[in-house]
Amino acid sequence: MTLASTRVSGLSSEVGKAVTVRGWITTVRSSGKVAFLVLRDGTGLLQCVLVKSAVTQDVWDRFAQLSLETSVAVTGDVRADARAPGGYELGVTDLAIVGTSPLDYPIQPKEHGIDFLLDHRHLWLRSPRQRAIATIRSELEQGIQDFFYQRDFLRVDTPILTAAIGERSGLFSTEYFDEGSAYLAQTGQLYGEAAAAAWGKIYTFGPTFRAEKSKTRRHLTEFWMIEPEVAWNDSNDNMKLQEQFVSYLVQRALEKRSAELTELERDLTKLEGIKPPFPRLEYTEAIDILHRKGSTTPWGDDLGAEDESLIVADYDLPVFVMNYPKEAKAFYMKENPADPRTVLCDDLLAPEGYGEMIGGSQREDDYDRLLKRIIEEGLDPAAYEWYLDLRRYGTFVHAGFGLGLERTIAWICGLPHLREAIAFPRMMHRLRP
Amino acid sequence: MTLASTRVSGLSSEVGKAVTVRGWITTVRSSGKVAFLVLRDGTGLLQCVLVKSAVTQDVWDRFAQLSLETSVAVTGDVRADARAPGGYELGVTDLAIVGTSPLDYPIQPKEHGIDFLLDHRHLWLRSPRQRAIATIRSELEQGIQDFFYQRDFLRVDTPILTAAIGERSGLFSTEYFDEGSAYLAQTGQLYGEAAAAAWGKIYTFGPTFRAEKSKTRRHLTEFWMIEPEVAWNDSNDNMKLQEQFVSYLVQRALEKRSAELTELERDLTKLEGIKPPFPRLEYTEAIDILHRKGSTTPWGDDLGAEDESLIVADYDLPVFVMNYPKEAKAFYMKENPADPRTVLCDDLLAPEGYGEMIGGSQREDDYDRLLKRIIEEGLDPAAYEWYLDLRRYGTFVHAGFGLGLERTIAWICGLPHLREAIAFPRMMHRLRP
């Protein structure tokens, strides 16, 4: 046990050498003379081979004590073997048990109900499927940072605890010392706009919260959003940035994490063609199409999940639906000069029925119009004084959007429900573990 | 105004061409025949020159209407000029006012009190100093991601809304549907440990919360933490990772953001030498040194801010103080076999009196000892069932740490108070804007 320990992902440089690898047992089998165990260590899987005649009786006896998720330190010689998972195999000379794993280990290689799995999320994460999703999520998160860093955006961390807020319903609140209630942010956008006036091109990357009693597969109460905001971008620039961003993420996943996508049995051909430009439909046009397809959603309403699925069914790309009616969208969106019943905004709908991935808009930059909308919506103008200041002092054309990370992951990974797209999902009836 | 618009940072490729640049007025001056304005657009500063005889009377009149933070679109020819800020100058042919800025713009080029500045944080962000800090923060955030990505760590987003929690006092709480109270996470560590068992090497990067009635310059109620957790790392490995990480961040700031550090008048020589290894002091040793220096802190207590300053005064590097008494630290830290009164942990103290940047430890991996500590601390074992599972099923040596982002930024930038290290700081009396 005095050898330096190695991770499974680092074995390619250790062929022909003796190493110790530590990890957890996933499978064991034995013929009586030769025994095999497969170890996972978080970086990969390693098949280890014990030949009874080549190891001590102690080591052989220890093999018999192994169970699912026993943690071990295995010492042996690294051999290249194309048939082995990962391409390497360990010829075992020593085996030490670090931590036993009782036979009641909850997650066995069989079907479990979803509530059971979520109750044991801390262990469920160890499965190959969950590891693949986590790896893709992490890759996309790096990709998000890289995309904006390469384009000279500053990352800005907007506050979670807020007094003034962008949307009103479905707020979590907490007592904040002598300041009254604080609300958990549903968006960082309003702060992002202040930062865009200061620094030109910015993005946020953080958790956001919705206290909505929704039980659909597309909703979490806590989810991560990425919200770029760009000074001098209009709605058209905004959609261009969105299609570049989404395409970059998809291509990055394909380039770096095709093994994990394949583990998830994702149809890669559905992702390979995701490149700009994405089709654009005016809201009014979308309503016409929906009516032809039998939807009864009236002009003026936001589109529901079924409507979104009907729209995207005609395309292999994400689809922009743009310029919604004012009453269906938030107060801060800029009135559309070409049709003042509508605002300059877009929803980007994922293909294959995965729903709205992005909501974006050009922001109202006219002081008087913005104040009027705040009052119309029944919001307190005093709470938005600082936000109005951005129009009072050197107002500027600007636009931004929010990408929902879990929805994007669900689409790219092909997950039927958002709950697998984050390590510890939070839903209406799910606060544990 | 039909020319493509350019950002100040992109002017180097536009020399000799006519461009339009949009931004905000920072200074104006005029001799009566020649007028100068300096524009900021978030990416840099640009000096623009108007010659009265070369522009229309309308343009010349518009110049006279400019005030601090007026937003404008300036068109002209790009010239290289070593004397100009940024190295380029614009010979103006047209000037359009986008948004006026009343003369009551709150932040003038004079001294303002800190409460006034914080009340106007949304505008204060526009100052060169705040831009420099934000740029360094963004660079460090990219550096944090890059450091771990290059080392094959998975990023994991641990929940903010939690039922079980790592430390007990100073919690913000909110009603969570029918599930009772949810608490805003003070740490993602416990979840990080589950993820480390699943995926080997992980880190978190998110906001954390402390509802502490603290008014010191070292505390925020909402701050960002980076928490790596590594399977099979012991306390020694853990400290090695910390010193590599911190050194990487400092060297990255120096390499990429020396202009911004210079804007902040940071003494770069204090940062240049920050490289591993960092000195290590046993807690017991540190107490002896403190007593020789006149401190009366008894063995058994955590070190206060003054003690930390006394310790680091002897060094030009961050200093590890390791293996604190059990009663001064959290329940999850592993008992030190060499001195069971203490635990295998470390605090990393920043140089120059900036205080504790990191707290880390090897985690208790023995089921019975951990359960005993949970009970001793008066915590409810039922709430920690899932956390105990990590010791029940294949326990593993592991260690991790939490780096406080704002403290690290404050040190690297040389900021006397954490409130400038984040765009919209949250403190006991500060929830707005």
Side-chain angles (χ1 to χ4, degrees), chain B residues 19-290:
Chain B
V19 300
T20 297
V21 182
R22 290 157 171 169
W24 290 262
I25 298 295
T26 66
T27 57
V28 288
R29 67 191 161 92
S30 172
S31 72
K33 290 184 179 171
V34 183
F36 297 86
L37 64 88
V38 177
L39 190 80
R40 63 161 192 87
D41 80 339
T43 74
L45 294 173
L46 175 62
Q47 178 168 286
C48 306
V49 186
L50 289 85
V51 178
K52 189 177 181 185
S53 59
V55 296
T56 65
Q57 187 64 36
D58 275 0
V59 167
W60 190 255
D61 290 346
R62 261 175 245 141
F63 174 84
Q65 297 163 33
L66 302 178
S67 56
L68 186 60
E69 292 297 327
T70 301
S71 53
V72 295
V74 190
T75 302
D77 303 309
V78 182
R79 304 189 286 247
D81 185 332
R83 295 162 307 175
Y88 301 94
E89 192 179 75
L90 203 70
V92 177
T93 55
D94 200 2
L95 165 66
I97 292 175
V98 177
T100 57
S101 177
L103 293 174
D104 67 350
Y105 182 74
I107 299 179
Q108 296 291 329
K110 63 166 196 176
E111 285 286 313
H112 292 286
I114 184 65
D115 281 331
F116 181 86
L117 288 171
L118 285 169
D119 286 343
H120 296 88
R121 184 67 173 163
H122 56 295
L123 303 175
W124 186 23
L125 297 177
R126 303 179 181 191
S127 77
R129 176 178 168 85
Q130 299 309 317
R131 181 174 192 282
I133 296 168
T135 306
I136 294 164
R137 179 180 175 111
S138 182
E139 184 70 44
L140 291 174
E141 294 188 315
Q142 184 70 26
I144 288 161
Q145 293 255 149
D146 288 349
F147 178 86
F148 290 113
Y149 186 75
Q150 288 157 10
R151 284 160 183 78
D152 293 326
F153 283 63
L154 290 196
R155 172 175 159 152
V156 179
D157 299 305
T158 52
I160 308 300
L161 295 167
T162 55
I165 35 78
E167 302 178 23
R168 284 169 308 153
S169 63
L171 288 165
F172 289 109
S173 70
T174 185
E175 286 303 298
Y176 196 85
F177 306 106
D178 303 330
E179 305 290 312
S181 288
Y183 303 94
L184 301 195
Q186 294 184 326
T187 169
Q189 176 202 316
L190 277 60
Y191 295 96
E193 290 182 54
W199 309 320
K201 300 190 283 187
I202 67 92
Y203 74 106
T204 73
F205 189 148
T208 52
F209 301 87
R210 302 274 160 102
E212 282 165 6
K213 292 192 175 179
S214 169
K215 291 187 243 179
T216 85
R217 61 194 176 86
R218 289 191 190 169
H219 287 88
L220 297 171
T221 55
E222 177 180 329
F223 61 100
W224 287 66
M225 267 225 288
I226 291 87
E227 298 184 90
E229 191 74 34
V230 184
W232 311 112
N233 264 12
D234 63 16
S235 190
N236 180 45
D237 301 326
N238 198 34
M239 284 187 277
K240 281 190 183 169
L241 184 63
Q242 289 166 53
E243 64 195 8
Q244 285 166 11
F245 181 41
V246 168
S247 302
Y248 173 89
L249 293 181
V250 171
Q251 296 307 320
R252 175 141 178 168
L254 283 169
E255 185 194 331
K256 301 273 191 183
R257 296 296 168 192
S258 62
E260 285 79 9
L261 289 167
T262 303
E263 167 83 42
L264 298 173
E265 300 178 342
R266 183 66 169 117
D267 181 352
L268 302 187
T269 62
K270 301 255 191 210
L271 299 176
E272 281 157 3
I274 305 296
K275 284 171 191 169
F278 297 164
R280 297 182 182 189
L281 291 176
E282 291 274 347
Y283 167 86
T284 302
E285 218 178 325
I287 287 288
D288 287 348
I289 293 169
L290 286 171

Side-chain angles (χ1 to χ4, degrees), chain A residues 82-297:
Chain A
R83 295 162 307 175
Y88 302 94
E89 192 179 73
L90 204 71
V92 177
T93 55
D94 201 2
L95 166 66
I97 291 174
V98 177
T100 57
S101 177
L103 294 174
D104 67 351
Y105 182 73
I107 299 180
Q108 296 291 330
K110 63 165 194 175
E111 285 288 313
H112 292 286
I114 185 65
D115 280 332
F116 182 87
L117 288 170
L118 284 168
D119 286 343
H120 295 87
R121 185 66 174 163
H122 56 294
L123 303 175
W124 186 24
L125 296 177
R126 302 179 181 193
S127 76
R129 175 179 168 86
Q130 299 308 317
R131 180 174 192 282
I133 296 168
T135 306
I136 293 165
R137 181 182 173 108
S138 182
E139 184 71 44
L140 291 174
E141 293 188 315
Q142 184 70 24
I144 289 161
Q145 293 254 149
D146 289 349
F147 178 87
F148 290 113
Y149 185 75
Q150 287 157 9
R151 284 159 183 77
D152 293 326
F153 282 64
L154 290 197
R155 173 176 157 150
V156 179
D157 299 305
T158 52
I160 309 300
L161 295 167
T162 55
I165 34 79
E167 302 179 24
R168 286 168 309 154
S169 62
L171 288 164
F172 289 110
S173 69
T174 184
E175 286 301 297
Y176 195 85
F177 306 107
D178 303 329
E179 305 290 311
S181 289
Y183 303 94
L184 301 196
Q186 293 184 326
T187 169
Q189 176 202 316
L190 277 60
Y191 295 96
E193 290 182 55
W199 309 321
K201 298 190 285 185
I202 67 94
Y203 74 105
T204 73
F205 189 148
T208 52
F209 302 86
R210 302 273 160 104
E212 284 166 4
K213 292 193 174 178
S214 169
K215 291 188 243 179
T216 85
R217 62 196 175 85
R218 288 191 190 172
H219 287 88
L220 298 170
T221 56
E222 177 180 329
F223 60 100
W224 286 66
M225 267 225 288
I226 293 85
E227 299 184 89
E229 191 76 32
V230 183
W232 312 112
N233 265 11
D234 63 16
S235 190
N236 180 45
D237 301 326
N238 197 35
M239 285 186 275
K240 280 191 183 167
L241 184 63
Q242 290 167 51
E243 64 194 8
Q244 285 165 12
F245 180 41
V246 168
S247 302
Y248 174 90
L249 294 180
V250 171
Q251 296 306 320
R252 177 142 178 167
L254 283 169
E255 186 194 332
K256 301 273 190 183
R257 296 298 169 194
S258 62
E260 286 79 8
L261 289 168
T262 303
E263 167 83 42
L264 298 173
E265 301 179 341
R266 183 66 169 115
D267 181 352
L268 302 187
T269 62
K270 301 255 191 211
L271 299 176
E272 282 159 2
I274 305 297
K275 284 173 191 167
F278 296 165
R280 297 182 182 189
L281 292 176
E282 291 275 347
Y283 168 86
T284 302
E285 219 178 325
I287 287 287
D288 287 346
I289 293 168
L290 287 171
H291 289 172
R292 284 201 298 275
K293 292 192 175 200
S295 164
T296 57
T297 302

Side-chain angles (χ1 to χ4, degrees), chain A residues 11-85:
Chain A
L11 286 175
S12 61
S13 59
E14 306 287 340
V15 175
K17 296 181 199 162
V19 301
T20 297
V21 181
R22 290 159 171 167
W24 290 263
I25 298 294
T26 63
T27 57
V28 289
R29 66 192 163 90
S30 172
S31 71
K33 291 183 176 172
V34 183
F36 297 87
L37 65 88
V38 177
L39 190 81
R40 63 160 192 89
D41 79 340
T43 74
L45 294 173
L46 176 63
Q47 178 166 286
C48 305
V49 185
L50 288 86
V51 177
K52 189 175 181 184
S53 59
V55 296
T56 66
Q57 188 63 37
D58 274 358
V59 167
W60 190 254
D61 290 345
R62 260 176 246 140
F63 174 84
Q65 297 164 33
L66 301 179
S67 56
L68 186 60
E69 291 297 328
T70 301
S71 54
V72 295
V74 190
T75 302
D77 304 309
V78 182
R79 304 189 285 246
D81 186 330
R83 295 162 307 175

